[in-house]
Amino acid sequence: MEVVIVPDAKAGGELIAAAIGRLLRHKPDALLGVATGSSPLPIYEALTAQVRAGGTDASRARICQLDEYVGLPPGHPESYRSVVLREVVEPLGLTEASFMGPDGSAEDIEGACAAYDRALGEAGGVDLQLLGIGTDGHIGFNEPCSSLASRTRIKTLTEQTRLDNARFFDNDIEQVPHHVITQGIGTILEARHLVLLATGEGKAEAVAQTVEGPVAALVPASALQLHPHATVVVDEAAASKLKLADYFRATYAAKPAWQGL
């Protein structure tokens, strides 16, 4: 696992967007796994700026979802499909034909989960998967004590998560779905490159447990330690509880430029 400490969220977004740009130059039709929430927004903003400036050609890129609400129609403005189309696909000048995600409105949800898991493999696998992290160490909707071998599946949202997400539903928790489809940890680990961006002091403990703690289902993100190419990008606040922060700074400073992220 590589840990990169950056000054702030903007710098982290630009660093990761540059890595995506290099990937697209090497593999124009790369399959990019995207996450929702506030953490990855600086990445999407920086990548969109690159594309609009002509520095990156994303015209053949493919986009796939990490998770989706169950029970919301695809056109609902707060379905994650709609969010990804709004925040990633449209700004990059792509169309829905370049996008794939699980069907949260399917009658057979278990079948939809299995179908999406298969579809990712049939698409050649995810080349780069973006991740955020919860304060409890969750990735996707793999809450603490999720199986580290789990596949794409249905999960029940905790009351706290529904309360947190109510702000997107007119502050009405009754509108927030009780269930989601999420890529499992085992599914996530099959991506060729995992990139996690975390910012803010509130994420510091989860980052420390992920990077320096034991691999444990209690901290789902710690499974990144098992991956051959995982990168954790954090700002100074999120890095504040890392015991080896100076080591991470030194190794990144000495890293050959040709290695990239």
Side-chain angles (χ1 to χ4, degrees):
M1 179 187 294
E2 179 179 34
V3 179
V4 183
I5 301 173
V6 294
D8 51 36
K10 184 174 184 291
E14 291 172 347
L15 180 70
I16 296 169
I20 294 173
R22 287 191 293 272
L23 170 62
L24 292 174
R25 285 190 287 277
H26 171 71
K27 186 177 182 180
D29 65 344
L31 181 57
L32 306 176
V34 298
T36 55
S38 57
S39 294
L41 290 179
I43 304 170
Y44 307 146
E45 292 167 1
L47 184 59
T48 297
Q50 284 179 205
V51 169
R52 292 178 177 172
T56 296
D57 180 5
S59 61
R60 294 172 56 193
R62 297 171 295 153
I63 306 295
C64 64
Q65 274 178 265
L66 182 61
D67 40 38
E68 180 58 278
Y69 284 119
V70 170
L72 293 185
H76 190 287
E78 295 308 326
S79 73
Y80 287 143
R81 179 184 185 89
S82 293
V83 172
V84 170
L85 289 174
R86 196 164 59 235
E87 295 180 350
V88 184
V89 175
E90 293 171 4
L92 293 180
L94 302 175
T95 67
E96 288 195 48
S98 66
F99 172 82
M100 59 189 297
D103 184 0
S105 62
E107 290 187 14
D108 178 6
I109 289 297
E110 288 189 354
C113 293
Y116 186 53
D117 213 81
R118 286 195 305 272
L120 292 173
E122 291 167 358
V126 179
D127 291 291
L128 186 150
Q129 176 65 58
L130 298 173
L131 298 167
I133 186 172
T135 55
D136 59 1
H138 75 254
I139 49 175
F141 276 106
N142 296 286
E143 299 287 355
C145 291
S146 292
S147 166
L148 301 186
S150 55
R151 308 300 304 179
T152 301
R153 68 212 191 284
I154 185 171
K155 293 288 287 183
T156 301
L157 295 179
T158 63
E159 189 75 1
Q160 186 59 56
T161 297
R162 293 181 69 236
L163 282 169
D164 291 344
N165 288 2
R167 67 187 188 277
F168 301 115
F169 294 84
D170 300 321
N171 291 313
D172 181 4
I173 191 173
E174 296 305 318
Q175 294 186 42
V176 183
H178 285 268
H179 300 96
V180 290
I181 293 173
T182 185
Q183 286 187 37
I185 298 173
T187 307
I188 291 170
L189 290 176
E190 289 180 352
R192 295 178 183 87
H193 186 189
L194 299 177
V195 181
L196 187 153
L197 175 62
T199 58
E201 189 176 357
K203 301 295 178 71
E205 183 62 33
V207 166
Q209 290 294 323
T210 293
V211 173
E212 297 175 340
V215 176
L218 188 61
V219 184
S222 66
L224 270 65
Q225 294 181 34
L226 303 173
H227 197 276
H229 190 192
T231 306
V232 176
V233 180
V234 292
D235 67 359
E236 292 289 349
S240 61
K241 294 190 177 181
L242 289 172
K243 296 176 182 177
L244 298 178
D246 288 342
Y247 167 75
F248 296 136
R249 291 188 183 94
T251 54
Y252 185 70
K255 184 177 181 179
W258 52 265
Q259 277 193 315
L261 192 62

